[in-house]
Each structure stands twice: as structure tokens, then as C-alpha cells.
Amino acid sequence: MTIQPDLAGVSFAANLASFGDRTAISIGERSVSYLELARRVEAMARSFGPARCLIALEAENTLSSLIVYLAALASGHPLLILPPGGGQASDTLIAAYDPDIVARSAPGDCVLDIRRLETRHQLHPELALLVSTSGSTGSPKLVRLSSASVQANAAAIAEYLHLRPSDTAATTLPLSYCYGMSVVNSHLLVGASIALTDLSVVDPCFWELVRSRHVTSFAAVPYTFDLLDRAGFERMDLPSLRYITQAGGRLAPEKVRSFAELGQKRGWDLFVMYGQTEATARMAYLPPDQAVLHPHAIGVPVPGGAFRLEPVPGLDASELVFTGPNVMLGYAQRPEDLALGREVTELRTGDLARQGPGGLYEIVGRRSRFVKIAGLRIDLGQVERLLADLGLSAAAAGSDEKVVAAVEGDRDLALAAKTLAQDLRVPRAAVELYSVPSIPRLANGKPDYPAILALSVRAEPARPEDVLHADDGNSLATTDSVQRIFADALERQDIAVTDSFVSLGGDSLSYVAVSVRLEKVLGRIPQGWHTMPICELVPAPDSAPSGDLGKADAPGPVGRAVQKWQSKLLASMETGIVLRAVAIVFIVATHIDFFSWEGTAHVLMALAGYNFARFQLTGSRRERLRRQLRAVARIVVPSIAVIGLAFVVTDDYRWHNVFLLNSLVGPPGWTDLSRFWFVEVLVHIMLGLAILLVIPGVDRALRRWPWGFPLVLAGIDLLQRFDVVQLPYPGQGPVLWLFAFGWAAAVSRRWWQRAAMTALALLTIPGSFPDESRSATILVGFLILLWIPTLPVPRGLHRITALLASSSLYIYVTHWLVYPYFDEFSKGLAVAASLAAGVAYWALATRAMGNAERWLRARSCARRNAQRIRL
């Protein structure tokens, strides 16, 4: 079906009600129909007032931001799009253009700051949007777009993607980015649905959203495909997925071919697209059936558009020039420019191109990406291709004095620099290559060429924290701080901008320290931060994502005073952290008979399953196995060291205690030899799961049924609860089902899943243990973990809570050796000494293991370098 654009106005914003009760927007488990959306948009438009004015919007992937966006378009108010979360970039644009209304994000809503009732600006009748280009974010230079351009481009995209009302797109890109904006425009134009989310594609919850909301498409920039590889996308079963779109920079041809072939196998299409903000997002697309054969191409012009090639003087190449109804009006660099009409009828893209077989266009370089060294014109795109031929992933910048390239990985670049200088026929001193953990990129995934060029002004090759930069208004210091936190906690320096805590090998033992330090640097950290790439984590706003459909009531003066008083005394901590700290204190105190409160060790077992699901289930089977074995080693090594010492200096333990085998080969029932049962069983469960999940069929089952899979494991173990089967266990009985319950709780994102887990807990936990008080403790602890994400903790106890949670394993294995020396003096003293000794052992052991891991990585890197030299 060909959609004829209504060039008289933005029909997708003004005619929402025509689609009736069809779902327009979904947020989590809630849905908003087109009729309801139209009513909200109309109400918002009335709040702008009758006079046409300039509105600025901090555009986030929330319903409230989307309503402001649509209301401005529908009512004809020019809209200045600001980066999400405020910051320097927003402040710069607000100061430069002095908008009449500023719509700022707030939890659950957008707050309108109405500065004046009548505008001071001369606003051209065609002006609809003011958008930053990827290279000018935070500067006063903006692209002026007309309502006709927005409508025409949305219609063209809908036509070549064959969009239909049954489609649903997930918002994998921000609304403030023209690519993300075009996804919303094109889908609302045809009555399709938008699944609003800010989840990353490495978050398992995103894929649960894709399945539950029957998402048919999502948009990706080049770095998204790296994240998809890490998330194990190629093995996912996504029956609703119809296509993936790619834009926002050049995707490597081998990547295009790989994903196009994967799509052919799995039944979805890959649309490679080419565009610029100056063309309201899209200028070309590559038909999916051509992606495998011509992965270098950008394809053909979008419907209604046309290309021509204009020779460039002094170059054996031609510039790509685009014409079409979606071309911008022109640029704005000051408020006076808002009165200007159309200044541009065709768009000189700045890209050098050629037309190949079948009329497909291919980008061969960038006109502005040339430098002149020693009288020779150097194509920086060619520099990157030459380095790629050497097996190096690089991005190049330069001046008329030198070429500067950032090369990913720990590399010896002397030979590569010499080879590159010879290929370019320039002096060796004019080529500088810098080894960096990751190519510095802007927030949209494109290389940050100014940051790369800045490498050359440093006295030595820059560290990753020196060169990473975001164009969203966050300071370099914030990025620097986040990287240092990751580097310190995870004992590694090879941290890429697309890495997350989980992909870097973070686990529950290091999670506590990182989360506490991140909160100090970033403010309130977003839920699920451990799966977010650094490039998404750093610019995260201080406020939590909205997701609410209604507006929360603002507190009055008394309410604000109470909130202020509470904020001084209390601050939220993640429930898992608080439970770990409380549980280890109760465990030690019970063992020493300071007081008796049993069951908290079993709560920790459920929490272990909860953390297993969060930290150990992403990536390919090989990556996941490596991560799981590393997590097991971080438990086994410090435990065996302590138990081995106890075996040597006391007569209380046997060799099977040292090797964590007492529950399998030791005496039946509960004895003093069973003291380390928790560590033994946890290691056995994690090793068993690591082996089980390597099996391809099991891996596919887990990815297809992420919530049901752990429940099947729990059901198998619960057969012992009902005496269907009998297996030898330590005195504490079977506990795999508790681990699996925690796992299922971590992936229970919908209310009915949490309700089902609540019912299962009520049916199985009571009566499963010798006394009712223990069962009650386990039940309450599990339900808190399931339903309450954070708990209030006095600010003065934050540090000690974090320390106890971080060192809980170390306290558990050491307290059996420590407390007997203090028990006869004071049981309270024995508890305190046991906790202190465990914290001290945690500090020493983690540092020692970190040093060992760094040494092993250095040796591995040295071996690889030696092999390259021999080759």
C-alpha cells in the first residue's frame, strides 16, 4: 500500500483519533489507545495557549514527552528538541534561543515552564521542528524542519518498510535523535503501535518486552549490533520480529552480510538505511534482498526522493546530492533565523559516492574527511580501510600536519604505523596510532573524531577515561568517574564504551561496591544499570523513568518538609544489598548463640539465584560459560583457602571439606562437618548449571522460556519436598528450588508473574523446614526480594551495609575460625570480631585475586603479541 503524504499538515499528529481504540502506545503492562492519546494530545495543546510560540522539550522515551511532542506538531507550535536529562547541552540551547515554554521531564510527567504568553520571536509559518545534528549537539546550530518535510519522510519510510497497523516498534533509540523520532512518526502515521522503553538490548527484560508485546521491529545504530552479539541475539526465538532497521553510521559490510543472512534464516529482514538530520532522517534504503549481495551499498533513494552525483574539483570522486520533499528549510544559528523560510532545495550530503550495479548507491568517502599532508590529499576513510585490511578496528581523524587514529585493543602499533605511512606515501612522523580499549564514540554510536584528534596533544597515549566523551551535556569528569569505578571494582582497564557491568564480568560480589560508588557519582542510578552500556549509563537522568499514565499529585508544603527531613535521614538501597547485609549478621549471631533467628541462609540462597539470573545469563554460550566459571572461582578460591587453613590448624574438618565435597561424600545428616554446606551447595548448583546451559538445546529452551525454565528446575527439586524421589543432601535438605525461585523472581517483570511466584512460595515454603519461624523468615525474605526493589536505610548505615553485603561470603567462611577466640569473653564481641575479620579478609582476598587476574591477562596478551610477531 502506497501512502500519500498530506503535505498540508502533520496528519499523524493531528489525526490520531481516526485510528480509534487501536493501541497506540504501550508502557510496561499498560496500553494507551489512539483515542486516549488524541485526548491527551489535545489537552496538552490547549495548555500551550492560543498564541503560536516556541516550545523546548527535553525529549525522553516516556509517554509525557511523546504527548508534548505530538501536541506541538498538531497545534503548529515550533518545537525545539533538547537532549534528555537536562545538562549543559540543554542549557546552551535554551540560553541561545530563549523558548517561550520549556517542557522538562519529571517523574511520571512533563512539567511546563511557561515563561511568557506571547512569543518574542518571529516564527516562520512552515517551521515545525528544530533539531541538533549529530555533530552539533549542544551548540546553537540547529536544523530547521517543516511540517511538510516531517510528514513526507514519515510517509516514505512507511511505504518502503511496508508498515501496517499490526506492527509494533520498540524505542531502542531516544526520541531526541532524529532516527528515533522517525520511528515514532512513521508508525503513528499508519496506526501502528509504539512500545515505549529505555531498556538496552543487552537487558533480558528488553527481549521479554519484545515477546510479550509482539514487537515486530526495532532500530539499531552500528554499536547496537555489537551489543546484540553480546546478548546472544543469533540464538533468540523471536517469532513476532519482522525486520530490523540500521542507520546512524556505516555498518561494516561483513556485519551487514552476517545479520542479513541471519535474518533470512530466522524470517526477518534487515533494512540498511542512510540519512541525515538535514533530510528529516532518511534518504536511502537498501532492499533486504540486496543486503547479502551488496553489503557495501546504501541502496536506492526513499520514495519521493532522488540522488545525483556532482563531481568534486580536485578529487576523482563525486558528492552525493539529494532532492526531495523531506529536505530541511535550512540551518538556524541564532533566534533571528527562526523567521527564515526555505533556503535549501537540495541537500549536499558531504559524502562521496558512486552508483553501482542495479542502481545501488555506495558511499566511498567523506568530502570533509580529507587532510593535506606534504602536498598529498589524504582520505581519512581510506586510512580506516587500510587499517582494517591489517586486521585493526580503527577510527581516524587528522589535521594538515598528521593523521591520528584510535585503534581498539591492546596492540603493538609500531609496524602498523610504518606500513600505513608507506601506503599513504607520507613521512612516518605524520602518522600517529593510539591503542585504546574502545573507539571513543558519541551518544548515537558514531566515532567522536574531536576526541580522537585530541589524543595527539597528550604527552602519552591516552587512557580510556581520558578520551571517552559523550555529546549529551555530561562532563568528561562524570565519564571519567564511571570508568574508574568499573576499572577499580573489576580489576581491568580494557573497558569499552559499549561494555556494561555484566559484559565486563561483573558479578554479585562486585555489584554492591560498584552500585554504591555509582550512586555517589551519578545520583540515583537507573534500575537495571548493570546491563546498560556505559554510553547509555552515563547520560542517564537523575529521575527514574516515567512509565506512569497519570500525573502524581505534587506534595504540599508539609509533604515537602517531610520529604526533605526523610531524605536527610534515609536513603534507598537495593533490596538485595540490604538482605545480604542483614542475613549475614543474623547467620553469625545465630551460630554464636548471641540470638537465634534461623532461615536467613536460605534467603541468601534465593538471592544467589536472583543474582545468577542478573549477572550470569547474557552473551553467547562460550562467553556465559567463561563468566560462570569465573564466578565459581571467585567463590571457591577464598573459601578453600580458609577451609584449608582450618583443616591444617584444627581437627574439626576433613579433606572433603577442603574440596567442598562434604555434602556428597561426608557423613549423612547434620554434623560439625556440615558447617560450610551453603558454599558447597551453591558451588555445586552453579557448576551444574554452567554445564547444563552449554548444551545447545537447553540454551535454546532457556532463551525461549526465560521465566518458565527456572520453574521447571524448581519443580524437579521439589519432587523431594513431596517425597517422590529421595537424594542425599546435607542436613539443610534440598535447596535448588529456592535458588530457582530467586532466578524466576529476577525475570518476573509482569504483575501476574510476580503473583504466580507469590502463590508458589505460599504453597511450598511453609512446612518445608523443621520449624515455622524458619519457614516464615524464608517466605518473608523471598517476598521482599520479589516485590520491593529498594528499602530505606539510615544514611549513617549505608557504608557499613555495603561493606557487610560485599563481604558476606568471606564473613561466612571465616567466622567459624574467629568467634571461638572471643566467645568466652562476650558473645557480642565474638559477633563483632567475626564480622570485622570477614571484612578484612574480603579486602585482602579481592585485591589478591584482582592482581592474579591482571597478571594472567598480561601473560595472555604477551603470548598473543608474541604469536603475531612470529607470524
Side-chain angles (χ1 to χ4, degrees):
M1 177 182 68
T2 299
I3 300 170
Q4 298 297 329
D6 174 15
L7 298 183
V10 186
S11 63
F12 71 84
N15 298 324
L16 297 170
S18 64
F19 295 110
D21 291 328
R22 186 176 297 152
T23 296
I25 308 295
S26 60
I27 314 99
E29 299 171 15
R30 299 184 180 183
S31 298
V32 178
S33 70
Y34 271 92
L35 276 176
E36 176 64 17
L37 181 61
R39 285 193 290 267
R40 290 172 180 254
V41 167
E42 184 180 356
M44 181 62 71
R46 286 196 300 268
S47 69
F48 295 155
R52 191 165 183 252
C53 60
L54 178 63
I55 302 172
L57 167 66
E58 291 181 356
E60 296 187 334
N61 289 357
T62 61
L63 179 63
S64 53
S65 284
L66 184 59
I67 289 172
V68 172
Y69 170 73
L70 295 173
L73 291 180
S75 56
H77 295 280
L79 186 66
L80 167 58
I81 301 294
L82 302 175
Q88 182 180 352
S90 293
D91 293 343
T92 299
L93 291 172
I94 291 173
Y97 286 92
D98 188 23
D100 305 303
I101 299 175
V102 178
R104 300 184 185 276
S105 298
D109 201 4
C110 265
V111 177
L112 296 184
D113 177 11
I114 300 178
R115 298 178 160 199
R116 61 186 70 91
L117 297 177
E118 294 186 5
T119 186
R120 297 175 180 174
H121 304 293
Q122 293 293 323
L123 304 173
H124 192 274
E126 293 184 59
L127 181 62
L129 290 176
L130 293 162
V131 188
S132 296
T133 68
S134 60
S136 66
T137 303
S139 80
K141 184 179 180 180
L142 299 171
V143 172
R144 294 183 289 117
L145 299 175
S146 69
S147 58
S149 295
V150 175
Q151 174 68 14
N153 202 234
I157 294 170
E159 180 174 342
Y160 71 73
L161 291 179
H162 306 290
L163 292 184
R164 46 202 183 216
S166 58
D167 281 324
T168 299
T171 55
T172 47
L173 299 172
L175 181 63
S176 58
Y177 182 23
C178 69
Y179 182 13
M181 187 188 302
S182 71
V183 174
V184 172
N185 296 347
S186 57
H187 279 71
L188 295 184
L189 174 71
V190 301
S193 299
I194 301 294
L196 277 178
T197 180
D198 57 3
L199 292 172
S200 168
V201 296
V202 298
D203 192 332
C205 300
F206 174 80
W207 300 110
E208 183 179 348
L209 171 71
V210 169
R211 296 183 184 94
S212 64
R213 284 295 177 180
H214 305 292
V215 168
T216 57
S217 70
F218 61 89
V221 295
Y223 85 88
T224 307
F225 290 88
D226 295 331
L227 300 181
L228 290 174
D229 285 337
R230 296 183 184 189
F233 174 74
E234 65 178 6
R235 289 172 297 282
M236 292 184 185
D237 183 19
L238 305 169
S240 65
L241 187 63
R242 192 165 72 81
Y243 66 89
I244 299 172
T245 62
Q246 183 272 317
R250 179 178 182 269
L251 183 64
E254 60 272 16
K255 208 83 162 178
V256 172
R257 180 179 286 113
S258 172
F259 273 85
E261 290 175 343
L262 177 62
Q264 290 176 351
K265 295 176 183 176
R266 295 300 181 93
W268 49 263
D269 292 325
L270 174 66
F271 282 88
V272 175
M273 307 190 302
Y274 165 77
Q276 294 178 1
T277 308
E278 289 85 344
T280 325
R282 304 278 71 80
M283 289 185 282
Y285 72 99
L286 181 63
D289 58 354
Q290 299 294 314
V292 173
L293 298 175
H294 303 285
H296 297 78
I298 61 169
V300 297
V302 300
F307 285 133
R308 66 181 176 85
L309 297 173
E310 182 174 292
V312 178
L315 290 178
D316 186 18
S318 298
E319 182 179 7
L320 189 65
V321 181
F322 176 80
T323 57
N326 51 306
V327 172
M328 67 176 178
L329 298 172
Y331 291 110
Q333 302 193 61
R334 54 183 182 170
E336 291 77 10
D337 294 340
L338 305 183
L340 299 176
R342 181 166 295 279
E343 297 181 308
V344 177
T345 57
E346 61 180 14
L347 179 61
R348 296 179 177 276
T349 65
D351 288 323
L352 304 178
R354 63 189 175 203
Q355 191 172 18
L360 300 178
Y361 286 85
E362 179 184 344
I363 302 298
V364 297
R366 179 78 181 160
R367 182 170 182 171
S368 61
R369 295 263 293 141
F370 285 83
V371 294
K372 200 167 186 178
I373 300 175
L376 297 174
R377 188 181 292 269
I378 306 299
D379 179 358
L380 295 175
Q382 182 192 17
V383 171
E384 294 172 355
R385 291 190 290 274
L386 289 172
L387 290 172
D389 291 341
L390 297 174
L392 303 176
S393 176
S399 65
D400 286 343
E401 297 177 352
K402 65 183 72 174
V403 170
V404 180
V407 180
E408 283 191 339
D410 187 6
R411 308 266 188 172
D412 183 356
L413 299 175
L415 181 58
K418 181 179 179 180
T419 302
L420 180 62
Q422 292 173 347
D423 290 341
L424 298 175
R425 294 180 297 162
V426 298
R428 169 63 184 84
V431 173
E432 295 183 6
L433 303 184
Y434 292 82
S435 180
V436 296
S438 175
I439 293 172
R441 296 184 183 276
L442 303 171
N444 58 17
K446 296 181 180 180
D448 187 346
Y449 293 113
I452 294 170
L453 187 59
L455 291 172
S456 66
V457 301
R458 304 181 190 277
E460 58 183 4
R463 299 172 299 170
E465 59 264 30
D466 294 326
V467 301
L468 284 178
H469 170 73
D471 66 348
D472 59 355
N474 287 274
S475 66
L476 190 63
T478 299
T479 302
D480 176 42
S481 301
V482 172
Q483 286 188 275
R484 287 186 182 277
I485 290 170
F486 276 59
D488 292 346
L490 302 178
E491 299 289 349
R492 53 189 300 173
Q493 300 299 321
D494 54 332
I495 299 175
V497 71
T498 55
D499 282 330
S500 67
F501 177 79
V502 170
S503 70
L504 290 169
D507 55 24
S508 60
L509 298 177
S510 51
Y511 176 82
V512 180
V514 174
S515 63
V516 171
R517 292 181 62 185
L518 274 181
E519 192 166 9
K520 291 181 179 179
V521 172
L522 299 177
R524 194 169 70 181
I525 55 178
Q527 190 173 0
W529 67 266
H530 55 288
T531 61
M532 295 173 61
I534 292 174
C535 57
E536 294 181 13
L537 175 63
V538 171
D542 290 339
S543 60
S546 166
D548 287 334
L549 301 182
K551 180 178 179 180
D553 294 331
V558 175
R560 288 194 297 270
V562 172
Q563 289 180 351
K564 184 176 181 181
W565 176 77
Q566 287 178 336
S567 66
K568 287 183 177 180
L569 296 181
L570 301 173
S572 295
M573 291 191 78
E574 187 177 305
T575 297
I577 296 175
V578 179
L579 286 178
R580 281 171 63 177
V582 172
I584 195 60
V585 172
F586 278 39
I587 288 169
V588 172
T590 298
H591 289 167
I592 299 175
D593 291 329
F594 184 61
F595 59 78
S596 180
W597 196 311
E598 297 184 335
T600 52
H602 291 80
V603 175
L604 283 185
M605 186 60 67
L607 182 57
Y610 187 88
N611 287 328
F612 176 82
R614 295 200 299 169
F615 303 122
Q616 304 297 331
L617 294 181
T618 60
S620 65
R621 290 200 307 273
R622 179 177 297 181
E623 291 173 342
R624 191 172 55 204
L625 177 63
R626 186 184 304 116
R627 186 182 298 120
Q628 290 167 352
L629 293 179
R630 181 173 180 265
V632 170
R634 287 183 142 205
I635 298 172
V636 169
V637 172
S639 300
I640 285 181
V642 171
I643 301 171
L645 176 64
F647 174 70
V648 172
V649 301
T650 73
D651 295 326
D652 296 337
Y653 304 102
R654 302 293 180 265
W655 65 268
H656 42 76
N657 289 116
V658 178
F659 295 101
L660 304 179
L661 296 174
N662 182 71
S663 59
L664 299 178
V665 301
W670 176 265
T671 70
D672 286 347
L673 298 178
S674 305
R675 289 173 174 171
F676 298 101
W677 73 269
F678 181 91
V679 178
E680 292 179 2
V681 173
L682 179 59
V683 168
H684 298 166
I685 289 174
M686 294 184 67
L687 281 176
L689 289 173
I691 297 170
L692 181 66
L693 295 178
V694 169
I695 302 172
V698 177
D699 175 64
R700 287 193 296 270
L702 171 61
R703 295 186 187 279
R704 184 164 186 175
W705 299 291
W707 185 68
F709 188 91
L711 293 183
V712 171
L713 292 179
I716 294 172
D717 198 41
L718 281 170
L719 292 175
Q720 298 171 94
R721 158 75 169 81
F722 298 102
D723 297 326
V724 178
V725 295
Q726 293 289 335
L727 291 175
Y729 264 85
Q732 298 300 309
V735 291
L736 171 61
W737 63 280
L738 280 174
F739 183 95
F741 270 25
W743 178 349
V747 295
S748 295
R749 299 302 179 186
R750 309 185 72 179
W751 72 267
W752 66 265
Q753 291 174 327
R754 291 192 292 271
M757 291 306 305
T758 302
L760 287 173
L762 291 171
L763 289 172
T764 55
I765 294 177
S768 295
F769 299 92
D771 55 84
E772 294 183 0
S773 61
R774 177 184 295 187
S775 297
T777 296
I778 299 169
L779 178 61
V780 171
F782 175 75
L783 293 180
I784 290 174
L785 181 65
L786 177 65
W787 287 99
I788 306 176
T790 60
L791 292 170
V793 176
R795 289 190 177 274
L797 295 180
H798 261 227
R799 181 172 178 80
I800 186 62
T801 301
L803 278 174
L804 291 174
S806 299
S807 54
S808 55
L809 169 70
Y810 302 84
I811 294 172
Y812 182 87
V813 296
T814 57
H815 81 282
W816 297 108
L817 279 72
V818 174
Y819 82 80
Y821 293 99
F822 301 90
D823 191 33
E824 61 183 26
F825 300 105
S826 167
K827 293 189 180 297
L829 178 62
V831 171
S834 297
L835 298 177
V839 171
Y841 181 48
W842 163 75
L844 292 173
T846 52
R847 181 176 295 275
M849 288 189 293
N851 290 336
E853 289 179 1
R854 283 197 302 272
W855 179 77
L856 290 173
R857 279 197 293 269
R859 286 198 61 187
S860 176
C861 182
R863 284 197 302 269
R864 289 196 301 269
N865 287 336
Q867 290 173 354
R868 284 198 295 269
I869 292 172
R870 287 197 297 270
L871 293 174

